[in-house]
Amino acid sequence: MGLEKAKGNGVVGVQKVRKVGSHIELGGVKTHNLKIDRVMFPLGKITVVTGLSGSGKSSLVFDTLYAEAFRRYVESLSSYARQYLKALPKPELESCNNLPPAIAIQQYGSSGASGALWQRSTVGTLTELTDLLQVVFTHLGEIYCGVCKKTLKKWYPQAVVDEILSRYPEQQVLVMAPLDRYHNLESVKANDLAGQLQAQGFTRVYPEGEKVLKISELKTLVPLKTHVVVDRVKVHEQQKGRLFEAVQLAFKVGGQQISFMGESPSPSPGDDLTKFRNDLTCPTCQKSYQEPSMALMSFNNPLGACPGCQGFGRSSELDWQKIIPSSASSLAEEGVSPWNFGQFREYYSWAKQNLGPNLKLYEKKFALYTPEDWHWLKEGKGRSFDGIHGFFKYLESKKYKPHYRMHLARFKKYETCKQCHGARLSPASLAVKVLGLSLAEVHSLKLGELGGWVKEIKQNKDTTEGAASQRLMGLSEALDDLESRLTYLNRLGLSYLTPDRAGRSISGGELQRIHLGRCLGSALFETLYCLDEPTSGLHPRDSEKLLGVIQELCQNNNTIVMVEHDHAMIQGSDYVIEIGPKAGAEGGQVIFEGTPKTWIKQIKQIEPTRGSKTKPNDQKAAPTRFINLSHGTIHNLKDVSIKIPLAQLTVVCGVSGSGKTSLVEHSIYPALQGAFEGADATAESPLLVEPLGAVQEHRGVLMVSQSALARSSRSNIATYLGLMDEIRKLFAKEPLAKNLGLTPGSFSFNTPGGRCENCKGLGTVVEDLSFLGEVEVICPSCQGQRFDDKVLQVSYKGYNLNQIFQLTVRQARDVFSDRPPMRAICDHVCELGLGYITLGQHTSGFSGGEAQRLKLLSMTGETDDLKPMILIFDEPTRGLSQADVQVFLQHLRRLTRSGHTLIVVEHHLDVIRTADWLIEVGPEAGEQGGEVVFMGPVEALIKAQPDSSQTVRYLH
């Protein structure tokens, strides 16, 4: 297996395969920018595909390898389903051999997610644990009366017969029907009831506390304490059929109720009368409950959702701090914020008129208001003034109009639902319990504790007898699946999470592992797993745990192919494929294929600095000025106090789940926002900030998150960078465009006139495949070119509009070199290492790291005549290669030299090593985290080597 080194084409080495059939083999791959004659992926092994950002890694792994596996799956479907998939783009490859079924686990970002679906998401729904728990509660749930705290059981005829047989063997038993449901009848109608019972063949009744009597012997029937005798049976096996019929009839007459007792030779008061119900109604308080079902146990179903919050766990309430921001103001000073917009100012006049001659209240400061004054302001008085609550009721009635809806939302906040206290479920759902816990209580268990609860159920399975045991047998698959998923999630370091943890509060690293655990927990065999940077957002310690789980997958003959840059993951793999040599059109080649050891050896020979560690700079100037933030207690933070040096790079690190997101995104960012307004610490800005003067030396604070650049499917890099307007004008000035009567608007895919109307300028259309869901396919009318033929006839410097969209930013820079503003924009993009992206690339398709770098373009060139800013980054190196990280670090340094204060949440060791100031949160995740285990220069951490630091051993 020798290495062959190609000359002149940048190929470092290609390792020959061992034997036919032991590898997945792709040939003639031309997808996107790929130019690969042949590439191999060893079966049953871990293969890492690495290379520069934009070199073609995802094109190979997901757009070719996984796409071909998906295409083959579709080919196995019925002709009805396949007829809709003819327009699906096939991967551009000539051959593919030995390809197993595949699963793709791509990157997920929580920061940019929005909408009702995301607001409802929890750890339980993301991992599908909630679905499995609903199965458990549907089959095993017992109803507990919320008023009487008693267990309710629905008795079926067979269960009642079994109870009678076990309790009264060889004894005479009276099977009776209680007449309680007729207790409201008047005495005359009660006598009519007695006649009706006799007409139906019933002859005896049992008044409680008395002897069995004939109906005719009763002067008046008292239904509340009376039972009609359905049958008198001697209990033994031969009488089971008769007993069953008697019980069925008793349930029918008694309205889902039955009573029975053993008949002694002379029945007397005190005999053991027993009552059972065939429904879930409490015998004490008469409160009725529903039988457990999947719908009842789901907060995403109207049947199971809390009526107060519709299953969100939070409900919107008026935010009085925003409605009346200053207690030192008054009505005369227009201190009610929602009224200070356009026509709404009339409310001040109405309030003034409502007061009549008593205008003192109009000028009175809100801080001096009495309870009576507040009641008048909030509720109003009479028809002429209905107060602040009346104003918001008016907005509610008009919220079908967007501007009213936006105005209403501006003055509301979300608080824990007062009805369910955040449980999301209805009272009927919460009445269902398994092992004494409701579904909400099980959701509040940590994943590590939940495994013990599942084991307890499985242990009870062996000791439970009768019908309960049979029910448990049907749950074995769900319980096994629960146990398997929990095992993987706990091994991935997520044991501190709870299933009810809201999806919006999960960090990127946690979300990545959640999706990994969901897929890996399926325990499939001989499957191809395509992973997209699984270590993204993970601390090196967590990456080690992840590598162990991935290596175990191979023991089931699974094949792992992952796009990855992390050197520890590469060294732990079996095979490495590097794509390059550069990004975009200059990439797409296999420049290395072999073992990790050989890869490390080769890259050090060709680029000696590429595989070396960045060393901390001991010559850094010590910071002298700081912003102090104290008393952080949100989520798992334990009264945290920190210092942020001005005009320097501060890195916040720590194991995933330790509290970095809680500290930076949920505490520091809102606190600094409040500080710019001179506000004190509140629920929205939960840290005390001082000195305010140091903060206000900056222009503002900006959170550069992992969120998508734009939500619109029409947004591409040309529109985002502001190039599209200029491009349309240039094309409209062409002589042919003038002859055809085309205007700048004709070259827009957002307006009719020049775009393809079949796809509305998107280039793709959506096909609904029924049970397969919706699939996006290339528009059959324009073949993905977005515009009609007349528009595409016009060219600028030899490129039509569609070809302009296919240019990389680096190529576009040359095309627009005579247009200084456009050339400057392209230069800025290239400086950030993003010259490989194309002008037509959708902004929603960028990785988190790429999106953050593009957001920074607004900062470039604005440092000379404007105040600096406080910039907060959330894992900006996500998706970046080692070379890209170095380019990004240079850009961060330019920002600090311009006076900007940078706060970066990061795990990348090179970013940590080059930081001016390091804050490590930990020492562990969840409740064991939330503390500052180190704060100071990086060099001090390396020298001190504290035991609580999980980072220091990776910095050597």
Side-chain angles (χ1 to χ4, degrees):
M1 297 192 297
L3 290 172
E4 298 176 358
K5 187 174 181 180
K7 298 180 180 179
N9 62 357
V11 177
V12 175
V14 176
Q15 188 170 354
K16 297 179 180 179
V17 299
R18 289 187 289 271
K19 64 179 181 178
V20 177
S22 62
H23 289 64
I24 302 170
E25 179 181 350
L26 302 181
V29 184
K30 305 295 181 184
T31 307
H32 300 157
N33 66 329
L34 295 178
K35 301 174 280 289
I36 301 174
D37 294 330
R38 186 181 176 197
V39 64
M40 305 284 191
F41 302 89
L43 289 168
K45 302 291 183 181
I46 300 174
T47 299
V48 168
V49 180
T50 190
L52 293 174
S53 297
S55 60
K57 304 183 300 298
S58 295
S59 296
L60 175 61
V61 176
F62 294 99
D63 298 334
T64 303
L65 185 64
Y66 173 71
E68 175 63 14
F70 177 76
R71 185 191 68 81
R72 294 186 178 191
Y73 162 72
V74 170
E75 290 295 327
S76 69
L77 299 175
S78 67
S79 58
Y80 172 77
R82 291 202 309 272
Q83 67 178 325
Y84 296 100
L85 301 175
K86 292 177 182 177
L88 273 177
K90 293 183 179 180
E92 295 185 43
L93 76 164
E94 296 174 0
S95 63
C96 178
N97 299 319
N98 304 324
L99 183 62
I103 290 178
I105 307 175
Q106 294 182 279
Q107 282 193 41
Y108 296 83
S110 61
S111 301
S114 61
L117 287 177
W118 182 255
Q119 292 296 324
R120 288 183 176 276
S121 295
T122 63
V123 170
T125 59
L126 292 171
T127 57
E128 298 176 0
L129 291 175
T130 293
D131 297 331
L132 296 170
L133 288 172
Q134 287 169 4
V135 174
V136 174
F137 273 79
T138 298
H139 287 79
L140 297 181
E142 295 181 328
I143 307 298
Y144 283 75
C145 178
V147 179
C148 305
K149 309 302 180 185
K150 294 181 178 179
T151 305
L152 306 182
K153 182 179 179 181
K154 188 174 182 179
W155 286 85
Y156 295 93
Q158 186 59 54
V160 175
V161 170
D162 293 339
E163 181 72 14
I164 293 174
L165 288 170
S166 63
R167 188 182 296 190
Y168 302 104
E170 302 300 326
Q171 294 184 40
Q172 200 83 6
V173 171
L174 293 176
V175 179
M176 299 174 289
L179 300 179
D180 294 351
R181 61 173 174 159
Y182 303 108
H183 69 279
N184 289 325
L185 294 178
E186 299 175 0
S187 58
V188 175
K189 292 183 178 180
N191 291 331
D192 292 342
L193 173 62
Q196 292 176 19
L197 291 172
Q198 286 179 310
Q200 294 176 27
F202 298 104
T203 58
R204 288 179 172 79
V205 292
Y206 170 64
E208 289 187 25
E210 301 181 24
K211 295 181 180 182
V212 176
L213 301 172
K214 290 183 179 181
I215 297 178
S216 58
E217 297 175 358
L218 290 173
K219 295 181 180 180
T220 181
L221 184 65
V222 183
L224 185 60
K225 295 290 185 179
T226 305
H227 307 255
V228 60
V229 178
V230 175
D231 200 354
R232 177 189 285 116
V233 186
K234 186 171 184 181
V235 179
H236 50 76
E237 287 293 327
Q238 288 75 15
Q239 293 289 352
K240 286 181 67 173
R242 179 177 172 180
L243 268 174
F244 186 84
E245 293 176 358
V247 169
Q248 277 189 316
L249 181 57
F251 272 132
K252 185 176 181 180
V253 175
Q256 308 303 318
Q257 297 184 80
I258 187 174
S259 56
F260 61 88
M261 69 176 184
E263 185 182 21
S264 59
S266 56
S268 60
D271 281 340
D272 55 338
L273 179 67
T274 305
K275 296 181 181 180
F276 287 138
R277 297 191 66 99
N278 191 229
D279 60 6
L280 295 172
T281 301
C282 178
T284 305
C285 65
Q286 301 302 311
K287 183 176 176 62
S288 296
Y289 293 88
Q290 300 179 54
E291 191 168 2
S293 64
M294 292 293 289
L296 182 66
M297 304 315 300
S298 172
F299 51 75
N300 289 323
N301 188 292
L303 191 62
C306 166
C309 62
Q310 286 76 51
F312 283 94
R314 301 188 303 164
S315 56
S316 61
E317 305 286 344
L318 293 179
D319 189 343
W320 289 99
Q321 189 172 355
K322 293 179 181 178
I323 295 171
I324 302 178
S326 174
S327 60
S329 185
S330 65
L331 287 174
E333 296 171 333
E334 297 187 342
V336 182
S337 288
W339 293 350
N340 297 333
F341 294 86
Q343 62 181 0
F344 298 147
R345 293 184 184 276
E346 295 181 8
Y347 269 82
Y348 289 113
S349 301
W350 296 340
K352 191 173 184 179
Q353 293 172 9
N354 186 259
L355 288 171
N358 183 24
L359 292 179
K360 291 183 179 179
L361 185 57
Y362 191 75
E363 299 178 355
K364 189 176 183 180
K365 302 294 184 184
F366 293 129
L368 302 176
Y369 268 33
T370 64
E372 292 77 16
D373 296 338
W374 280 115
H375 184 270
W376 169 81
L377 180 60
K378 291 180 179 181
E379 306 299 337
K381 185 178 181 180
R383 295 183 178 180
S384 62
F385 178 62
D386 54 4
I388 294 175
H389 281 150
F391 168 74
F392 280 102
K393 286 180 181 177
Y394 168 74
L395 293 183
E396 289 280 357
S397 69
K398 296 286 186 179
K399 68 178 182 180
Y400 59 88
K401 298 181 179 180
H403 59 287
Y404 282 95
R405 189 164 60 248
M406 292 173 62
H407 192 67
L408 180 66
R410 186 178 296 143
F411 297 98
K412 285 201 167 188
K413 63 180 178 180
Y414 281 97
E415 292 185 343
T416 302
C417 176
K418 296 178 181 178
Q419 291 191 32
C420 66
H421 305 289
R424 299 176 176 235
L425 295 167
S426 65
S429 306
L430 296 174
V432 183
K433 297 189 178 183
V434 174
L435 296 182
L437 297 179
S438 66
L439 182 56
E441 291 169 330
V442 172
H443 274 156
S444 66
L445 296 176
K446 296 177 183 176
L447 297 184
E449 300 170 342
L450 185 56
W453 182 80
V454 173
K455 286 182 180 178
E456 188 176 352
I457 293 178
K458 297 185 76 172
Q459 289 171 356
N460 287 347
K461 173 182 175 180
D462 299 328
T463 57
T464 309
E465 298 179 356
S469 177
Q470 294 173 7
R471 285 190 300 168
L472 276 165
M473 289 298 293
L475 286 175
S476 59
E477 185 176 348
L479 293 171
D480 290 343
D481 200 355
L482 261 174
E483 200 166 36
S484 175
R485 289 174 188 267
L486 288 170
T487 298
Y488 275 102
L489 290 169
N490 290 330
R491 289 193 57 195
L492 288 170
L494 297 172
S495 59
Y496 60 91
L497 291 178
T498 58
D500 63 356
R501 173 84 174 265
R504 62 183 178 275
S505 70
I506 297 170
S507 68
E510 289 170 334
L511 189 61
Q512 182 81 342
R513 285 181 290 165
I514 281 172
H515 286 291
L516 272 171
R518 183 190 65 185
C519 294
L520 301 182
S522 301
L524 299 176
F525 292 83
E526 298 182 354
T527 301
L528 169 63
Y529 286 87
C530 297
L531 311 182
D532 186 12
E533 299 185 39
T535 63
S536 177
L538 298 189
H539 188 273
R541 198 278 304 272
D542 299 316
S543 297
E544 287 182 352
K545 293 182 178 180
L546 175 61
L547 179 59
V549 173
I550 292 176
Q551 287 173 338
E552 273 194 20
L553 279 178
C554 292
Q555 297 176 5
N556 294 333
N557 288 329
N558 292 308
T559 302
I560 315 296
V561 178
M562 57 181 168
V563 176
E564 190 55 79
H565 300 289
D566 185 83
H567 276 220
M569 295 295 283
I570 294 174
Q571 291 173 355
S573 66
D574 301 303
Y575 206 67
V576 178
I577 298 173
E578 184 173 1
I579 307 297
K582 295 182 179 180
E586 299 178 46
Q589 303 176 53
V590 176
I591 63 173
F592 178 84
E593 190 176 5
T595 63
K597 289 183 179 180
T598 308
W599 178 76
I600 294 172
K601 181 180 178 181
Q602 292 284 352
I603 63 174
K604 286 186 176 180
Q605 289 176 355
I606 296 176
E607 302 175 57
T609 59
R610 185 172 162 197
S612 59
K613 296 178 180 178
T614 302
K615 295 182 180 180
N617 182 7
D618 293 324
Q619 304 302 319
K620 294 175 187 173
T624 56
R625 300 186 63 211
F626 295 88
I627 299 173
N628 299 311
L629 301 103
S630 55
H631 305 304
T633 56
I634 195 169
H635 298 154
N636 67 331
L637 298 181
K638 299 179 176 66
D639 197 20
V640 168
S641 296
I642 60 170
K643 297 192 298 182
I644 304 293
L646 299 181
Q648 294 201 348
L649 172 60
T650 298
V651 171
V652 180
C653 67
V655 297
S656 184
S658 59
K660 303 183 300 298
T661 301
S662 298
L663 176 62
V664 177
E665 185 175 344
H666 300 153
S667 298
I668 294 178
Y669 177 55
L672 291 176
Q673 282 185 312
F676 278 106
E677 301 172 0
D680 296 329
T682 64
E684 287 75 28
S685 51
L687 285 177
L688 292 174
V689 182
E690 57 183 2
L692 290 178
V695 176
Q696 293 169 350
E697 289 177 10
H698 298 78
R699 180 159 35 112
V701 57
L702 176 65
M703 182 76 186
V704 189
S705 67
Q706 294 278 351
S707 60
L709 294 174
R711 297 177 184 173
S712 173
S713 58
R714 297 181 175 275
S715 175
N716 59 25
I717 194 62
T719 58
Y720 181 79
L721 295 176
L723 294 172
M724 197 60 205
D725 291 339
E726 294 298 322
I727 292 173
R728 290 201 302 268
K729 292 176 183 177
L730 290 175
F731 272 85
K733 290 179 181 178
E734 290 294 311
L736 181 58
K738 293 179 180 179
N739 293 337
L740 295 173
L742 299 177
T743 65
S746 303
F747 296 92
S748 170
F749 46 74
N750 291 323
T751 57
R755 70 183 185 183
C756 170
E757 289 304 318
N758 183 56
C759 63
K760 300 295 187 292
L762 290 174
T764 59
V765 293
V766 175
E767 294 281 4
D768 186 0
L769 302 186
S770 186
F771 66 94
L772 281 179
E774 294 181 340
V775 175
E776 190 175 62
V777 299
I778 294 175
C779 174
S781 297
C782 67
Q783 297 300 315
Q785 297 193 78
R786 294 184 167 208
F787 297 94
D788 59 28
D789 293 338
K790 184 169 64 172
V791 169
L792 294 176
Q793 289 177 25
V794 182
S795 63
Y796 174 80
K797 293 186 178 181
Y799 297 94
N800 65 27
L801 191 53
N802 186 58
Q803 291 168 335
I804 287 289
F805 285 146
Q806 296 174 8
L807 295 175
T808 65
V809 174
R810 191 176 292 110
Q811 293 169 332
R813 194 261 182 211
D814 297 332
V815 174
F816 303 118
S817 59
D818 57 341
R819 316 292 300 181
M822 300 176 73
R823 185 183 67 231
I825 292 174
C826 294
D827 285 339
H828 292 326
V829 177
C830 293
E831 286 175 5
L832 290 171
L834 294 172
Y836 59 87
I837 61 179
T838 61
L839 295 184
Q841 187 171 345
H842 289 295
T843 52
S844 59
F846 290 110
S847 69
E850 289 172 327
Q852 290 198 68
R853 284 185 285 170
L854 286 169
K855 290 175 186 177
L856 277 176
L857 285 176
S858 61
M859 296 303 305
T860 306
E862 295 184 0
T863 59
D864 295 334
D865 55 352
L866 294 174
K867 284 184 178 181
M869 292 192 69
I870 301 175
L871 300 175
I872 301 175
F873 297 86
D874 181 18
E875 300 177 24
T877 65
R878 178 179 293 186
L880 304 188
S881 67
Q882 188 70 19
D884 295 322
V885 170
Q886 299 305 317
V887 172
F888 184 70
L889 283 173
Q890 293 173 12
H891 190 75
L892 293 183
R893 282 302 170 198
R894 286 198 293 269
L895 291 172
T896 56
R897 286 194 296 269
S898 300
H900 297 281
T901 298
L902 307 185
I903 304 171
V904 180
V905 178
E906 191 51 77
H907 298 292
H908 198 286
L909 295 176
D910 281 356
V911 179
I912 295 174
R913 291 188 185 100
T914 57
D916 300 308
W917 193 256
L918 183 66
I919 299 173
E920 183 173 359
V921 184
E924 293 293 339
E927 292 182 356
Q928 298 179 18
E931 302 177 14
V932 174
V933 299
F934 177 81
M935 181 169 59
V938 182
E939 300 76 24
L941 173 65
I942 295 175
K943 292 177 182 177
Q945 298 189 10
D947 295 335
S948 57
S949 173
Q950 300 290 346
T951 305
V952 65
R953 67 187 178 97
Y954 298 98
L955 294 175
H956 291 283

